[in-house]
Amino acid sequence: MANATDHLWMHFTRMASYSAGEVPTIVRGEGAYVWDAQGRRYLDGLAGLFVVNAGHGRTELAEAAAKQAGELAYFPLWSYAHPTAVELAERISSLTPGDLNRVFFTTGGSEAVEAAWKLARAYFKRVGKPTKHKVVSRYIAYHGTSMGALSITGLPGIKTDFEPLVPGGIKVPNTNFYRAPEHGDDPVAFGRWAADEIARAIEREGPDTVAAVFLEPVQNSGGCFPPPPGYFERVREICDAYDVLLVSDEVICSWGRLGEYFGAVRYGYQPDIITTAKGITSGYAPLGAMIASDRLMEPFLTETGMFAHGVTFGGHPVSCAVALANLEVFAREDLVGHVRANEGAFRSTLEKLHDLPIVGDVRGDGYFYGIELVKDKTTRETFDEAESERLLRGFLSTALFDAGLYCRADDRGDPVVQLAPPLIAGQQQFDEIEQILRTVLTEAWSRL
């Protein structure tokens, strides 16, 4: 559509790249596929943006939205409740690990992360530790774009234009074992080292100043870094030792993406807070949530206590109704079990690409993978900035889309192709992803 370049300001988009051409416009979806305005079909290898977990074209979710809008289109959660928010909060708390029973609704992931940091600060003020306000997060990790969430984010390239940010963000190494700076031959030792870097950071800053550690179960940005064995067990020990809250940022990793409703369950650790969004509604309406333990609510249960935070559309009745219908689909079709049953096949299909000279690493879990691209498989030499620009933005992104695969060619760390198909995907889609990647990556190598 020509007028897209005149009026629509797209997110994280180089608008000048469309000055001489039309913006790709997606008009409908069905199952694991979407179609553009010219009628061309694409396999949605990223579930929109790690969002459409139940797949496209679910009429029951649209019908749930319409029904709720006809009954109660909107009412705030400011001192009042409405039935869908109450029911959804109860449903979520039945799925969370441990005592994570307090659900604070937002409209998306950045807001959920923002709410978690604000809660951590407010909680420690109320329990007599007012200097605990800083947060620890990992290099290259993405936690959102609002000013607080952006301060937790570990991607310098998307922060520069907005500095100075909220003070108090502390960065530690991530769990990219493929490029481990220490213990590159021992994942258990590497995991212990990476976790202990969190303890060292807390010590450097002063334990009386650190409120929380924000970690994704599988770090997205940089290309899917799963946790090494024992990593989260050690992080939990560190947080307990220094009285620091462990926040599991599961905006991507919840709602079946890793074969469990929550990534913390997949890897066997107990967070104090979970932040979530995206797949909670499979993208059919905007919704997010901060889910906190009962003990974090206690200081706010006094007669005059209040968590002085809220957003107008957090827990919107229509969005909550869609989320409830979405979770019914999950239960009826056992989408979480489907991921567990098929994740091995997805992994083995993607690992076929190891025979290509450009493929250095294939990593991930569940239906969440990154394929790291290299110049030399033996030395693991990566591409310089100019080569990465030419390879990813100049060729791969467009070539993969033209070949019928929507995914992400990402250079926010080392160059990777990210994949996160809808949870309904099976071997047919896995094979299609592998075949398209094989063709396009072979062509990319010939262009170097």
Side-chain angles (χ1 to χ4, degrees):
M1 295 184 177
N3 57 357
T5 57
D6 296 330
H7 306 291
L8 180 62
W9 198 333
M10 291 177 287
H11 300 198
F12 283 106
T13 300
R14 296 182 179 182
M15 297 298 291
S17 63
Y18 294 113
S19 59
E22 288 194 2
V23 176
T25 305
I26 303 302
V27 297
R28 72 180 183 93
E30 184 68 33
Y33 298 90
V34 294
W35 283 258
D36 69 12
Q38 284 72 44
R40 293 181 295 235
R41 191 188 78 165
Y42 306 88
L43 173 57
D44 185 357
L46 206 62
L49 194 60
F50 316 100
V51 171
V52 192
N53 289 8
H56 298 275
R58 293 279 189 174
T59 56
E60 62 264 54
L61 302 190
E63 289 165 358
K67 182 175 183 293
Q68 180 59 46
E71 294 174 359
L72 179 67
Y74 174 75
F75 209 79
L77 294 178
W78 300 46
S79 302
Y80 298 88
H82 55 76
T84 55
V86 173
E87 185 180 351
L88 180 59
E90 181 181 17
R91 181 72 177 272
I92 290 171
S93 67
S94 74
L95 298 171
T96 52
D99 68 340
L100 293 171
N101 296 315
R102 305 293 183 163
V103 183
F104 185 96
F105 287 116
T106 65
T107 60
S110 292
E111 286 181 357
V113 169
E114 200 87 13
W117 192 0
K118 291 181 76 172
L119 176 60
R121 287 185 168 201
Y123 168 78
F124 282 117
K125 279 185 169 62
R126 279 162 175 75
V127 298
K129 298 183 178 182
T131 60
K132 291 176 79 71
H133 67 281
K134 299 174 185 176
V135 293
V136 177
S137 59
R138 296 183 289 204
Y139 293 124
I140 315 178
Y142 177 85
H143 292 283
T145 54
S146 56
M147 291 300 277
L150 190 60
S151 301
I152 300 172
T153 290
L155 291 161
I158 66 170
K159 300 165 75 166
T160 305
D161 280 349
F162 312 108
E163 293 174 331
L165 300 176
V166 179
I170 307 157
K171 302 299 176 288
V172 296
N174 57 51
T175 60
N176 182 359
F177 185 62
Y178 184 67
R179 299 197 174 278
E182 303 276 348
H183 307 292
D185 59 346
D186 185 344
V188 174
F190 170 66
R192 177 73 183 218
W193 170 84
D196 283 345
E197 283 295 300
I198 295 173
R200 285 186 275 271
I202 292 171
E203 285 286 354
R204 285 194 302 271
E205 296 294 325
D208 60 341
T209 70
V210 180
V213 175
F214 280 72
L215 303 172
E216 296 167 277
V218 173
Q219 182 176 317
N220 168 43
S221 189
C224 292
F225 305 145
Y231 175 78
F232 274 111
E233 180 181 3
R234 177 61 182 146
V235 171
R236 180 70 268 179
E237 291 175 354
I238 291 166
C239 289
D240 290 341
Y242 292 107
D243 193 19
V244 170
L245 303 183
L246 174 55
V247 181
S248 188
D249 184 354
E250 307 207 15
V251 171
I252 290 175
C253 292
S254 50
W255 311 114
R257 179 57 54 194
L258 299 174
E260 296 286 352
Y261 278 101
F262 293 97
V265 175
R266 167 77 189 237
Y267 300 117
Y269 64 94
Q270 180 61 52
D272 299 293
I273 299 173
I274 287 176
T275 55
T276 186
K278 294 187 184 287
I280 191 172
T281 64
S282 287
Y284 285 70
L287 186 67
M290 174 193 67
I291 312 163
S293 68
D294 287 329
R295 77 179 178 97
L296 298 184
M297 178 71 137
E298 288 174 5
F300 301 94
L301 294 177
T302 62
E303 186 175 341
T304 59
M306 177 180 66
F307 180 40
H309 178 56
V311 289
T312 300
F313 293 112
H316 192 285
V318 174
S319 296
C320 290
V322 171
L324 286 166
N326 183 53
L327 293 181
E328 285 301 315
V329 171
F330 269 65
R332 184 176 70 245
E333 299 182 14
D334 190 19
L335 293 183
V336 174
H338 178 78
V339 173
R340 286 197 301 269
N342 289 278
E343 64 175 342
F346 190 32
R347 176 187 292 273
S348 62
T349 302
L350 293 178
E351 285 179 341
K352 293 178 181 178
L353 297 167
H354 271 306
D355 67 343
L356 298 179
I358 198 172
V359 173
D361 194 26
V362 176
R363 55 181 177 253
D365 274 324
Y367 275 24
F368 189 25
Y369 273 84
I371 299 172
E372 183 169 336
L373 309 179
V374 294
K375 287 172 68 174
D376 189 305
K377 290 170 76 82
T378 303
T379 65
R380 302 184 181 183
E381 181 185 359
T382 192
F383 300 92
D384 62 32
E385 188 172 342
E387 290 168 331
S388 182
E389 173 76 15
R390 188 170 71 251
L391 175 68
L392 268 70
R393 297 186 185 276
F395 174 70
L396 271 183
S397 292
T398 301
L400 288 168
F401 190 69
D402 288 344
L405 176 62
Y406 167 71
C407 60
R408 173 187 271 177
D410 191 4
D411 62 352
R412 292 179 296 179
D414 295 299
V416 294
V417 175
Q418 289 182 301
L419 297 161
L423 308 189
I424 59 171
Q427 192 60 53
Q428 177 185 337
Q429 286 75 38
F430 304 158
D431 289 339
E432 191 174 343
I433 289 171
E434 189 272 338
Q435 289 160 13
I436 292 173
L437 284 172
R438 178 171 296 277
T439 299
V440 174
L441 291 178
T442 299
E443 173 67 15
W445 182 255
S446 72
R447 289 168 171 255
L448 292 175

